Amino acid sequence: MIIVEKTSKLLSKVKISGGGRCNVTHACFDINEMSKNYPRGGNFVKKLFHHFFTIDTIQWFEERGVKLKKENDGRMFPITDSSQTIIDCLLREVNKSGIDVIINAEVKFVKSLNEKFELVFSDGKILTADYVCVASGGFSKISMFDWLRKLGHTIEEPVPSLFTFNIPHHPITKLMGISVDKVRVKIKGEKLEQVGPLLITHWGFSGPVILKLSAWAARLLKEKNWNFSININWLPEFNEQTLKVKFQQLRFEMATYKLFSKNPFDLPQRLWEFMLELSGIKKDLRWADLNSKDVNRFIHLLCDSEFEIKGKTTFKEEFVTAGGIKLNEIDHNTMMSKKVKNLFFAGEVLDVDGITGGYNFQYAWSSGFIAGKAIAGFSK
Ligand SMILES: Cc1cc2nc3c(=O)[nH]c(=O)nc-3n(C[C@H](O)[C@H](O)[C@H](O)COP(=O)(O)OP(=O)(O)OC[C@H]3O[C@@H](n4cnc5c(N)ncnc54)[C@H](O)[C@@H]3O)c2cc1C
């Protein structure tokens, strides 16, 4: 068996993954729940997880001396907090299995000839093989898939996923660094929405809720050329009606307090003050003196603030490309192409992508394991 790699190093993405710690998988042990974290390919990964799931990943690494730990949000990392631990473990396995590695070898074409293959490299060299597994990762442009299209495969157009939203020069960016534990963000005029932590940055909005929304809406937002509006509910436990009732109660309970000084919700104080200012409420106004016009304007802002998004910023920590080879052309039991016998695929080259949290690697391990096992079986 031979691994061919176009750069001078194997596993360079693993090295930089998870901020250098490698978020190997997610501590989710229910296949249905896990598969809900893939904006594209959820049904496909569900089938793969029956062969090799999160528990198998944890066990696989543990059997090879690498213990994983779970963080509060479910992400799993090696206990060393170093991606090098994962790389060392994988490379030890490569050595143990006697796999040859050829680096600085870019495959330009794969020719399929009578169930055998010829790999043509950029320097003109040729390698023949009985089985080929393409695990080339995703590509950002459809033309970069041409060598796979020539084999008879169809490509779902690649689009960026997992990015943050820009709101250039909006006054809220003055609050950069502030995070809110739970907000609801909705794309205006669409059904797509997500709930989760939000981070205000100097260029706009980031944090898990934004990244998740960017992944689920990846294709739609590309169509809009990343110019669109969002509505944020800063208190997602309430809607405008229920918040009105809460405000009536607060006016009574906090009558003598100034609105600016006492924040009855768990919102960051600076954000609370920003919202009060934005709705035109005077600095020294007491709860008892709130008139219904002020209340309505303030409640509307808290439940339904609108922001115009102008462009995106790539989230460097865990960027993936949505799109790739269409899944109906792949047999999920073996990862073999339905178009070309003995040609296999694994990882991001297919039209599967997950949100952040270890989902992308789990899919890469699952698909790689199935392809490897199938090839080993066929080549006996
Ligand atoms: C900065 C960053 C951090 C990330 N962190 C995480 C994380 O913590 N957890 C998580 O789950 N996911 C993370 N991801 C996503 C994850 O890294 C990918 O989903 C995963 O690496 C995909 O694996 P792959 O094997 O399909 O492709 P890749 O890891 O991209 O590997 C493909 C390999 O093929 C080589 N190659 C490509 N074309 C050719 C060719 N023609 N000839 C020869 N070789 C070729 C490439 O050089 C590369 O080495 C992160 C991504 C980025 C960019």
Side-chain angles (χ1 to χ4, degrees):
M1 194 193 276
I2 304 173
I3 294 176
V4 293
E5 164 60 49
K6 75 172 170 189
T7 68
S8 59
K9 262 194 208 106
L10 292 181
L11 300 166
S12 50
K13 252 199 198 171
V14 173
K15 179 77 183 168
I16 55 168
S17 68
R21 296 199 297 146
C22 187
N23 178 191
V24 178
T25 185
H26 201 91
C28 174
F29 305 104
D30 180 292
I31 289 179
N32 274 331
E33 275 309 306
M34 184 79 179
S35 66
K36 288 182 189 158
N37 296 289
Y38 296 83
R40 282 142 296 266
N43 281 332
F44 186 80
V45 294
K46 203 188 281 181
K47 292 171 194 154
L48 305 189
F49 290 159
H50 285 287
H51 297 268
F52 193 87
F53 194 36
T54 48
I55 193 76
D56 303 302
T57 302
I58 296 166
Q59 204 178 331
W60 193 93
F61 279 107
E62 197 158 326
E63 280 167 2
R64 287 156 183 85
V66 176
K67 254 183 143 14
L68 303 183
K69 60 168 177 177
K70 175 186 145 208
E71 305 219 319
N72 289 340
D73 57 7
R75 290 180 305 158
M76 296 197 75
F77 296 89
I79 54 166
T80 57
D81 274 331
S82 167
S83 56
Q84 193 58 44
T85 309
I86 301 298
I87 295 177
D88 292 344
C89 173
L90 293 170
L91 292 184
R92 267 197 311 271
E93 282 304 299
V94 168
N95 278 336
K96 220 161 68 188
S97 314
I99 298 168
D100 290 325
V101 178
I102 308 178
I103 54 167
N104 300 314
E106 182 183 9
V107 178
K108 275 277 167 201
F109 301 104
V110 179
K111 287 189 198 159
S112 159
L113 307 158
N114 310 322
E115 294 181 16
K116 283 189 183 275
F117 299 93
E118 258 184 24
L119 273 62
V120 182
F121 292 91
S122 49
D123 62 2
K125 285 189 184 137
I126 291 176
L127 190 74
T128 55
D130 293 324
Y131 303 90
V132 169
C133 179
V134 178
S136 57
F139 299 114
S140 54
K141 289 197 192 104
I142 197 152
S143 59
M144 294 163 95
F145 285 92
D146 278 352
W147 60 294
L148 298 171
R149 213 160 26 177
K150 283 186 182 135
L151 283 162
H153 278 284
T154 324
I155 314 298
E156 201 64 68
E157 206 207 335
V159 296
S161 182
L162 299 176
F163 48 84
T164 65
F165 297 171
N166 299 353
I167 40 169
H169 314 301
H170 192 286
I172 200 167
T173 54
K174 278 189 280 182
L175 304 184
M176 64 183 170
I178 284 184
S179 59
V180 188
D181 288 346
K182 197 173 173 195
V183 303
R184 173 176 292 115
V185 185
K186 188 176 178 309
I187 293 176
K188 192 181 173 191
E190 306 287 343
K191 286 211 173 94
L192 287 161
E193 62 173 43
Q194 287 291 323
V195 177
L198 176 103
L199 174 69
I200 302 171
T201 66
H202 68 273
W203 68 86
F205 294 125
S206 181
V209 69
I210 298 296
L211 294 171
K212 271 197 273 177
L213 196 56
S214 79
W216 285 100
R219 286 204 181 281
L220 175 83
L221 298 184
K222 158 125 203 283
E223 276 166 30
K224 293 178 184 283
N225 201 23
W226 301 285
N227 287 316
F228 56 100
S229 293
I230 56 168
N231 299 86
I232 299 185
N233 183 342
W234 299 95
L235 299 170
E237 315 300 341
F238 296 96
N239 57 36
E240 291 196 33
Q241 279 75 38
T242 55
L243 195 56
K244 255 181 210 163
V245 176
K246 179 74 184 169
F247 262 65
Q248 276 159 10
Q249 184 194 335
L250 287 168
R251 272 174 80 176
F252 179 70
E253 285 172 7
M254 313 209 1
T256 58
Y257 290 101
K258 286 181 184 161
L259 267 102
F260 270 80
S261 59
K262 193 95 179 170
N263 165 9
F265 303 98
D266 263 346
L267 284 178
Q269 182 63 17
R270 279 178 62 206
L271 177 66
W272 175 254
E273 289 171 12
F274 176 83
M275 305 291 280
L276 283 166
E277 272 167 24
L278 212 62
S279 51
I281 290 174
K282 293 204 178 70
K283 275 250 163 191
D284 52 358
L285 194 81
R286 291 174 200 280
W287 279 89
D289 304 326
L290 254 182
N291 64 43
S292 59
K293 223 167 112 199
D294 284 342
V295 171
N296 288 345
R297 213 174 324 118
F298 189 39
I299 285 178
H300 181 67
L301 266 183
L302 286 172
C303 290
D304 202 12
S305 294
E306 188 170 322
F307 295 90
E308 210 182 320
I309 308 297
K310 289 203 168 90
K312 61 174 181 3
T313 299
T314 302
F315 182 62
K316 301 274 186 322
E317 289 293 299
E318 200 175 315
F319 179 71
V320 292
T321 310
I325 290 179
K326 283 198 176 169
L327 300 178
N328 60 1
E329 299 177 353
I330 308 296
D331 173 4
H332 59 83
N333 287 309
T334 57
M335 298 305 292
M336 183 153 71
S337 158
K338 291 180 186 169
K339 303 256 174 187
V340 185
K341 199 173 170 204
N342 297 340
L343 176 67
F344 296 76
F345 290 94
E348 222 181 288
V349 66
L350 298 183
D351 184 24
V352 174
D353 60 278
I355 58 170
T356 61
Y359 302 102
N360 284 304
F361 273 139
Q362 181 54 53
Y363 155 67
W365 313 134
S366 297
S367 54
F369 181 88
I370 295 169
K373 197 170 163 206
I375 295 173
F378 285 127
S379 58
K380 259 186 199 155

